[in-house]
Short mmCIF file of all heavy atoms in Angstrom, two decimals:
data_model
loop_
_atom_site.label_atom_id
_atom_site.label_comp_id
_atom_site.label_asym_id
_atom_site.label_seq_id
_atom_site.Cartn_x
_atom_site.Cartn_y
_atom_site.Cartn_z
N GLN A 71 12.51 12.70 -34.97
CA GLN A 71 13.32 11.94 -34.03
C GLN A 71 12.49 11.20 -32.99
O GLN A 71 12.68 10.04 -32.74
CB GLN A 71 14.33 12.87 -33.35
CG GLN A 71 15.32 12.19 -32.42
CD GLN A 71 16.42 11.40 -33.04
OE1 GLN A 71 16.82 11.77 -34.17
NE2 GLN A 71 16.82 10.30 -32.48
N ALA A 72 11.57 11.97 -32.33
CA ALA A 72 10.75 11.39 -31.32
C ALA A 72 9.79 10.33 -31.86
O ALA A 72 9.66 9.28 -31.27
CB ALA A 72 9.92 12.52 -30.57
N GLN A 73 9.24 10.63 -33.02
CA GLN A 73 8.42 9.64 -33.64
C GLN A 73 9.12 8.36 -34.03
O GLN A 73 8.61 7.22 -33.82
CB GLN A 73 7.74 10.11 -34.94
CG GLN A 73 6.78 11.28 -34.67
CD GLN A 73 7.33 12.67 -34.73
OE1 GLN A 73 8.52 12.87 -34.63
NE2 GLN A 73 6.49 13.71 -34.98
N ALA A 74 10.37 8.50 -34.49
CA ALA A 74 11.17 7.37 -34.80
C ALA A 74 11.49 6.50 -33.52
O ALA A 74 11.52 5.28 -33.61
CB ALA A 74 12.53 7.79 -35.51
N GLU A 75 11.69 7.15 -32.42
CA GLU A 75 11.94 6.42 -31.21
C GLU A 75 10.71 5.71 -30.67
O GLU A 75 10.77 4.69 -30.14
CB GLU A 75 12.47 7.42 -30.12
CG GLU A 75 13.97 7.86 -30.49
CD GLU A 75 14.51 8.91 -29.62
OE1 GLU A 75 13.80 9.40 -28.64
OE2 GLU A 75 15.68 9.35 -29.83
N VAL A 76 9.56 6.38 -30.90
CA VAL A 76 8.32 5.63 -30.52
C VAL A 76 8.09 4.42 -31.38
O VAL A 76 7.75 3.38 -30.91
CB VAL A 76 7.08 6.63 -30.62
CG1 VAL A 76 5.79 5.89 -30.54
CG2 VAL A 76 7.20 7.70 -29.59
N VAL A 77 8.38 4.54 -32.69
CA VAL A 77 8.32 3.40 -33.57
C VAL A 77 9.20 2.38 -33.15
O VAL A 77 8.92 1.16 -33.14
CB VAL A 77 8.55 3.86 -35.04
CG1 VAL A 77 8.60 2.61 -35.94
CG2 VAL A 77 7.44 4.75 -35.51
N THR A 78 10.40 2.70 -32.75
CA THR A 78 11.43 1.74 -32.19
C THR A 78 10.85 1.01 -30.96
O THR A 78 11.01 -0.21 -30.90
CB THR A 78 12.68 2.40 -31.83
OG1 THR A 78 13.17 3.03 -33.04
CG2 THR A 78 13.74 1.47 -31.33
N LEU A 79 10.11 1.68 -30.16
CA LEU A 79 9.45 1.08 -28.96
C LEU A 79 8.42 0.10 -29.43
O LEU A 79 8.42 -1.06 -28.85
CB LEU A 79 8.84 2.13 -28.08
CG LEU A 79 8.08 1.59 -26.91
CD1 LEU A 79 8.96 0.82 -25.92
CD2 LEU A 79 7.40 2.71 -26.08
N LEU A 80 7.63 0.41 -30.40
CA LEU A 80 6.64 -0.54 -30.94
C LEU A 80 7.37 -1.73 -31.52
O LEU A 80 6.91 -2.90 -31.39
CB LEU A 80 5.85 0.18 -32.05
CG LEU A 80 4.73 1.10 -31.66
CD1 LEU A 80 4.13 1.70 -32.87
CD2 LEU A 80 3.67 0.44 -30.78
N GLY A 81 8.54 -1.56 -32.12
CA GLY A 81 9.35 -2.66 -32.63
C GLY A 81 9.79 -3.53 -31.54
O GLY A 81 9.87 -4.79 -31.70
N ILE A 82 10.09 -3.03 -30.42
CA ILE A 82 10.52 -3.82 -29.20
C ILE A 82 9.36 -4.72 -28.78
O ILE A 82 9.47 -5.91 -28.50
CB ILE A 82 11.01 -2.96 -28.04
CG1 ILE A 82 12.33 -2.36 -28.43
CG2 ILE A 82 11.08 -3.78 -26.75
CD1 ILE A 82 12.80 -1.23 -27.48
N PHE A 83 8.12 -4.11 -28.68
CA PHE A 83 6.92 -4.89 -28.27
C PHE A 83 6.54 -5.99 -29.40
O PHE A 83 6.16 -7.05 -29.08
CB PHE A 83 5.78 -3.93 -28.04
CG PHE A 83 5.88 -3.22 -26.80
CD1 PHE A 83 5.85 -1.84 -26.80
CD2 PHE A 83 5.99 -3.84 -25.56
CE1 PHE A 83 5.95 -1.13 -25.60
CE2 PHE A 83 6.11 -3.12 -24.40
CZ PHE A 83 6.10 -1.73 -24.42
#
Side-chain angles (χ1 to χ4, degrees):
Q71 180 78 27
Q73 291 92 339
E75 290 173 359
V76 170
V77 172
T78 300
L79 177 61
L80 284 175
I82 290 169
F83 287 121

